[in-house]
Amino acid sequence: MGSSGVARLQGLFAVYKPPGLKWLHLRETVELQLLKGLNAGKPRAPEQRVRFLLGPVEGSEEKKLTLTATSVPTLTTHRLMRGPAFTSLKIGVGHRLDVQASGVLVLGVGHGCRLLTYMYHAHLTKDYTVRGLLGKATDDFCEDGRLVEKTIYGHVTREKLDRILAVIQGSHQKALVTYSNLDLKSQEAYEMAVQGTIRPMNKSPMLITGIRCLYFAPPEFLIEVQCMHETQQQLRKLVHEIGLELKTTAVCMQVRRTRDGLFTLDDALLRTQWNLHSIQDAIQTAAPRVAAELERNLRRQEYIADQTAKTQVREREGTHRTQQSHKTDSLNRGPKTKKDQAEKCRRGD
Amino acid sequence: MALIAQQIPRWFHTIKLSSFIKAAQLIKHSVWPGKILLNGVSAQALLPSDNCFLQWGFKTFRTSSSWTSSQSAKSSRQESSSPTQSSLLPSMSEQSEKIPSFHSELPLEELDDLPSVSPLQQISEEEAIQIIAHPPLPPASFTLGDYVDHSETLQKLVHLGVDLSKIEKHPDAANLLLRLDFEKDIKQILLFLKDLGLEDNQLGTFLTKNYAIFSEDLENLKIRVAYLQSKNFSKANITQMVSNAPFLLNFSVERLDNRLGFFQQELELSVKKTRDLVVRLPRLLTGSLEPVKENLKVYRLELGFKRNEIQHMITRIPKMLTANKKKLTETFDYVHNVMSIPHHVIVKFPQVFNTRLFKVKERHLFLTYLGRAQYDPAKPNYISLDKLVSIPDEVFCKEIAKASVKDFEKFLKTL
């Protein structure tokens, strides 16, 4: 049971982190529960060891001794001598959540920890629901922080809020394109923009790909944010800034992640389900989707890497040619085709 | 450390220094049936005493160094393998009986005159078979697994259910167990424990926790049990106390008396109630008293309970005395300030202090969402605190919240 149990325990799964629990404590709790499940397997049969023992030869009258191989039971491999079979597990945490935030948290077990790195480099977006409260401002943008200011909010309407959110989305859209290092004039970049898959594939500040208001009943409001490369504190600051834009103040009451890459709320396991069987089932269910997503992203990254490699080769050839035919330099005044132009821009010329 | 000091005088008396040195010299200049001598040495070490401490080496310098190193705490633990082998080798034991006389006849000086045997000398087939060349037991080890197949004591302990993998983490304890003999020392204590009322299946967990009981005097243990009986603890009570707090009988009568006195004074309860309290939570007697004193202060000063309220709560839930102070204050803060439950209602249901805070929070928020959070006994649809915390999820959802478990789970994912 133990060995097959651990064999089925390799991959990614998502848990629902409740508010007020540190992500590290959560990871340790999950590890303890998994170890409990793995060590609870049925005990092994008592093992035997072969010893060469002196004994009388069978079928002889005289007292002759000979060595015979006999199986003698041994206690060195007994569970009470060796201790539990599993003492630690490799569990990794994906995009972390801070103490007051709640929501989907992706964990990886065993070989799944490698997949965590791939998921990180895939730079997928995350969904949050952020609850805000108008009329207060605190020092750490949370409801229970030290109060800094109180304001009226009677003038705030849904239209004003929607307008502000649209402005935010627009400015972040521009930033998305800038940080993705693509020239929009090329054909491939245009196709990606049409599908809406332009996003930076390397480090960038927090970028919001989508933001809208779900519920507005002053003083409370609920917004849904789709973003990447964010921290929860930046989302709380966003609520504060929305308040300032609305000419009032706002604090954040709740930050809750509803989707992390391809893991949604339905895939997240609640505290009562943090045991071996549920986690094994969750890993098995998520495995094909994770493989498909990584395959897609790998192809996309390979394509980008391929393009950059080709531009580097062309660059080297270009310098070689210019060295040879410097007289005809005036004729080589820039890229000839659209493709060359795109690669030139991607190089950062 | 005291354990080792007690052990050393015992084997000083039984295993004499001179006989060891003789044995060592003999092994060095041995005649070719050195194998018989080796087993003879082991048998001789067994015969006078059953303390299993053995030299196992073919060179003098190794034997003498391992003997001196034995005086340190993490010393060599060597076992004789003869118990298992001697039953299979009746011929060997006969020859070994002759050896003690052989030893005593030869004075030290004449040992040098023995002819030395060359290892390339021809020997007969029977003699060749009788050479037993087991790999030697390691003189020192970090695990008892190396010695378990050669020690009856350890094997019997494993069959009882004692978790030796936990005991080997304490080298003093492991040394002690290796040197004890089952028949002489361990059996008496086990019979005593069985007389107390411990079941066979409980002995394993008891001994895993309290292996130090083997170094206690049987007389002292009996005196302590007699003391507890004199304080009107029934036999069943004593069994329950000993199984829940294994270290209880390691405490001297004086100390037990002091502890019982402390609880009677501090809590100001009647003798019968103190007795019940201690029977329910015997680790009050074996644990430290500082957390108890601090918790009592917390209840009185910080949380604001009156003396009789604290007494009532403690008789219902003794675990409150040893609870974590931070968790206690957090739970009380939530229950009193957020759920707005006054002191006199909390006193009736002290189980809230025994549950995890997240459970209380989740259930309260669910009831608030459904509009059923009514904790005032005077009003209708009243939900008592014990029903809030002490029942499992399915029963809670069905009867108290009147919703399905799936709804509860969906709600939890919105927190």
Side-chain angles (χ1 to χ4, degrees):
Chain A
M1 199 237 122
S3 58
S4 73
V6 119
R8 286 182 56 208
L9 202 62
Q10 314 280 343
L12 296 181
F13 64 101
V15 296
Y16 189 87
K17 180 185 109 56
L21 185 63
K22 290 195 183 136
W23 64 267
L24 197 59
H25 294 171
L26 188 150
R27 182 208 161 280
E28 281 163 6
T29 311
V30 168
E31 186 175 355
L32 271 174
Q33 293 294 321
L34 285 176
L35 286 175
K36 220 168 39 168
L38 285 171
N39 285 328
K42 63 169 173 32
R44 281 175 290 179
E47 289 198 13
Q48 309 233 311
R49 194 172 279 192
V50 174
R51 283 263 145 81
F52 290 99
L53 301 172
L54 268 185
V57 174
E58 284 153 30
S60 80
E61 297 91 23
E62 21 180 81
K63 217 166 65 165
K64 224 177 149 195
L65 297 168
T66 183
L67 288 175
T68 40
T70 39
S71 261
V72 175
T74 177
L75 280 178
T76 34
T77 49
H78 197 273
R79 149 79 183 78
L80 291 174
M81 293 302 308
R82 279 244 211 114
F86 296 94
T87 42
S88 76
L89 277 176
K90 201 168 161 197
I91 299 184
V93 176
H95 296 110
R96 300 189 291 255
L97 282 168
D98 63 14
V99 183
Q100 292 140 333
S102 59
V104 176
L105 182 66
V106 178
L107 299 176
V109 195
H111 299 311
C113 295
R114 174 182 293 257
L115 297 177
L116 278 177
T117 325
Y118 296 152
M119 294 294 274
Y120 177 79
H121 289 301
H123 297 279
L124 301 168
T125 56
K126 304 182 205 68
D127 274 354
Y128 285 84
T129 50
V130 180
R131 200 180 288 271
L133 187 72
L134 293 168
K136 279 208 306 191
T138 55
D139 60 345
D140 63 350
F141 315 127
C142 290
E143 204 185 0
D144 50 359
R146 189 177 58 90
L147 192 63
V148 169
E149 193 180 342
K150 276 189 117 155
T151 54
I152 53 164
Y153 49 85
H155 57 277
V156 179
T157 60
R158 176 109 191 207
E159 289 79 28
K160 287 188 187 163
L161 182 61
D162 287 338
R163 204 177 304 147
I164 305 266
L165 295 180
V167 166
I168 292 175
Q169 179 156 354
S171 62
H172 280 261
Q173 196 72 26
K174 197 157 182 339
L176 267 176
V177 173
T178 327
Y179 282 105
S180 66
N181 295 332
L182 286 179
D183 178 34
L184 265 188
K185 294 189 197 138
S186 73
Q187 186 60 28
E188 298 81 16
Y190 171 74
E191 276 162 20
M192 276 166 47
V194 159
Q195 284 165 8
T197 59
I198 291 192
R199 57 181 201 269
M201 295 303 278
N202 42 23
K203 270 198 179 166
S204 77
M206 172 169 97
L207 292 172
I208 296 180
T209 53
I211 183 165
R212 63 180 176 138
C213 174
L214 291 177
Y215 172 78
F216 181 76
E220 281 190 21
F221 62 94
L222 184 68
I223 54 174
E224 187 184 12
V225 184
Q226 210 180 60
C227 51
M228 51 194 301
H229 303 160
E230 83 297 340
T231 62
Q232 287 78 48
Q233 194 61 14
Q234 284 172 338
L235 289 171
R236 293 189 192 104
K237 194 173 174 194
L238 176 74
V239 169
H240 171 82
E241 281 164 8
I242 289 173
L244 291 179
E245 291 290 319
L246 289 167
K247 300 202 180 64
T248 174
T249 47
V251 288
C252 173
M253 292 209 301
Q254 182 199 41
V255 174
R256 174 172 146 254
R257 193 192 272 159
T258 48
R259 179 184 65 85
D260 184 348
L262 43 85
F263 290 96
T264 58
L265 274 182
D266 299 327
D267 308 318
L269 296 174
L270 284 172
R271 204 191 290 255
T272 45
Q273 295 161 317
W274 294 350
N275 51 45
L276 182 67
H277 288 290
S278 317
I279 292 180
Q280 280 176 335
D281 293 337
I283 293 176
Q284 303 296 324
T285 331
R289 291 191 322 192
V290 169
E293 181 69 39
L294 288 179
E295 180 74 36
R296 215 180 319 146
N297 273 291
L298 207 64
R299 261 186 275 129
R300 185 201 157 115
Q301 281 175 354
E302 276 172 1
Y303 168 73
I304 293 178
D306 196 33
Q307 294 301 312
T308 39
K310 280 193 192 158
T311 50
Q312 279 170 6
V313 165
R314 216 163 278 134
E315 223 177 277
R316 257 181 275 126
E317 282 177 8
T319 49
H320 182 69
R321 250 184 273 127
T322 48
Q323 276 172 11
Q324 280 189 340
S325 56
H326 57 92
K327 283 182 191 169
T328 50
D329 189 34
S330 56
L331 295 173
N332 287 342
R333 206 181 292 134
K336 292 202 169 62
T337 60
K338 254 193 188 172
K339 201 169 178 179
D340 291 340
Q341 195 178 33
E343 280 143 23
K344 196 166 165 233
C345 290
R346 220 174 287 148
R347 274 196 325 253
D349 275 351
Chain B
M1 285 304 131
L3 299 173
I4 304 296
Q6 278 169 29
Q7 293 304 313
I8 292 177
R10 268 205 236 173
W11 24 268
F12 259 108
H13 297 313
T14 49
I15 300 178
K16 295 184 194 106
L17 173 60
S18 55
S19 65
F20 258 129
I21 293 183
K22 268 193 219 161
Q25 296 271 11
L26 252 177
I27 292 164
K28 185 185 175 187
H29 304 286
S30 61
V31 188
W32 187 230
K35 59 211 184 296
I36 304 172
L37 275 179
L38 187 63
N39 276 339
V41 168
S42 60
Q44 188 217 19
L46 256 192
L47 290 170
S49 80
D50 290 339
N51 274 352
C52 309
F53 184 72
L54 182 65
Q55 303 300 333
W56 199 280
F58 292 92
K59 302 194 183 105
T60 16
F61 71 88
R62 209 195 280 172
T63 52
S64 52
S65 64
S66 57
W67 188 84
T68 47
S69 67
S70 70
Q71 318 220 359
S72 57
K74 219 179 177 163
S75 56
S76 46
R77 316 186 223 134
Q78 298 181 354
E79 264 297 341
S80 82
S81 59
S82 306
T84 41
Q85 292 174 10
S86 53
S87 52
L88 301 163
L89 309 168
S91 49
M92 288 292 120
S93 55
E94 287 169 55
Q95 291 168 10
S96 62
E97 303 279 16
K98 298 180 206 155
I99 301 301
S101 50
F102 187 38
H103 278 284
S104 49
E105 278 169 16
L106 274 182
L108 267 169
E109 297 74 26
E110 286 181 36
L111 287 175
D112 290 327
D113 299 333
L114 284 173
S116 52
V117 184
S118 154
L120 299 172
Q121 192 174 351
Q122 294 289 337
I123 52 169
S124 70
E125 194 63 37
E126 296 91 24
E127 282 176 358
I129 282 180
Q130 286 163 15
I131 298 173
I132 296 165
H134 292 301
L137 280 179
S141 167
F142 63 91
T143 170
L144 284 174
D146 290 334
Y147 304 106
V148 71
D149 282 332
H150 305 276
S151 160
E152 230 180 76
T153 317
L154 291 181
Q155 283 168 6
K156 289 213 173 124
L157 286 175
V158 172
H159 288 308
L160 266 178
V162 179
D163 195 344
L164 292 178
S165 65
K166 290 196 181 145
I167 294 185
E168 69 190 13
K169 294 189 180 143
H170 308 280
D172 306 339
N175 272 330
L176 176 69
L177 281 183
L178 269 173
R179 280 152 209 227
L180 291 178
D181 172 62
F182 195 80
E183 289 302 316
K184 261 178 133 191
D185 313 306
I186 298 187
K187 206 165 188 176
Q188 294 191 3
I189 306 241
L190 287 179
L191 287 171
F192 168 77
L193 288 174
K194 285 203 80 169
D195 280 336
L196 269 187
L198 280 181
E199 300 291 323
D200 287 344
N201 50 5
Q202 289 174 316
L203 281 174
T205 36
F206 179 91
L207 292 172
T208 311
K209 289 230 186 85
N210 188 11
Y211 42 81
I213 201 167
F214 293 128
S215 59
E216 293 280 330
D217 226 351
L218 199 57
E219 288 310 310
N220 282 344
L221 294 173
K222 290 194 177 148
I223 292 172
R224 288 161 198 166
V225 173
Y227 167 75
L228 284 174
Q229 281 175 334
S230 75
K231 291 281 175 184
N232 294 333
F233 284 100
S234 76
K235 219 167 166 299
N237 282 347
I238 297 180
T239 313
Q240 197 188 342
M241 281 165 65
V242 168
S243 65
N244 285 343
F247 285 99
L248 189 68
L249 291 177
N250 290 18
F251 279 52
S252 67
V253 171
E254 235 186 290
R255 217 169 159 193
L256 283 175
D257 201 28
N258 284 345
R259 293 281 165 113
L260 284 169
F262 168 80
F263 282 108
Q264 188 155 4
Q265 266 181 328
E266 280 289 317
L267 302 175
E268 289 161 355
L269 292 170
S270 71
V271 178
K272 185 174 181 303
K273 283 199 174 160
T274 323
R275 218 182 300 142
D276 289 335
L277 181 84
V278 166
V279 167
R280 269 182 80 177
L281 195 66
R283 67 164 196 246
L284 286 173
L285 291 180
T286 57
S288 165
L289 292 178
E290 292 307 316
V292 175
K293 288 184 199 163
E294 208 177 334
N295 276 2
L296 286 170
K297 282 220 172 75
V298 164
Y299 287 124
R300 196 163 48 94
L301 301 170
E302 208 174 322
L303 306 187
F305 286 108
K306 296 196 273 280
R307 203 175 57 106
N308 55 343
E309 290 175 339
I310 302 175
Q311 282 175 346
H312 175 79
M313 287 199 290
I314 284 173
T315 36
R316 290 279 302 280
I317 308 266
K319 225 168 152 189
M320 282 172 64
L321 284 171
T322 47
N324 183 353
K325 187 173 81 157
K326 195 167 129 195
K327 289 192 184 147
L328 214 54
T329 42
E330 280 174 359
T331 313
F332 180 81
D333 177 43
Y334 191 80
V335 169
H336 186 60
N337 297 328
V338 177
M339 289 166 71
S340 313
I341 297 180
H343 280 83
H344 62 265
V345 179
I346 299 181
V347 171
K348 288 208 194 96
F349 306 109
Q351 301 94 327
V352 283
F353 291 117
N354 207 10
T355 52
R356 306 294 302 274
L357 180 59
F358 69 80
K359 204 166 171 187
V360 177
K361 269 189 189 165
E362 282 169 4
R363 290 186 176 184
H364 168 70
L365 288 170
F366 188 47
L367 289 176
T368 327
Y369 175 74
L370 292 174
R372 289 180 183 276
Q374 174 60 266
Y375 305 115
D376 191 353
K379 300 194 182 138
N381 288 336
Y382 159 66
I383 294 177
S384 61
L385 276 180
D386 65 338
K387 290 234 176 69
L388 184 71
V389 301
S390 303
I391 55 179
D393 271 347
E394 297 85 19
V395 183
F396 169 77
C397 289
K398 211 169 122 187
E399 290 179 24
I400 310 289
K402 308 228 193 328
S404 69
V405 181
K406 282 220 179 307
D407 291 339
F408 187 42
E409 287 178 4
K410 266 194 216 164
F411 174 75
L412 285 179
K413 287 195 182 173
T414 64
L415 282 181

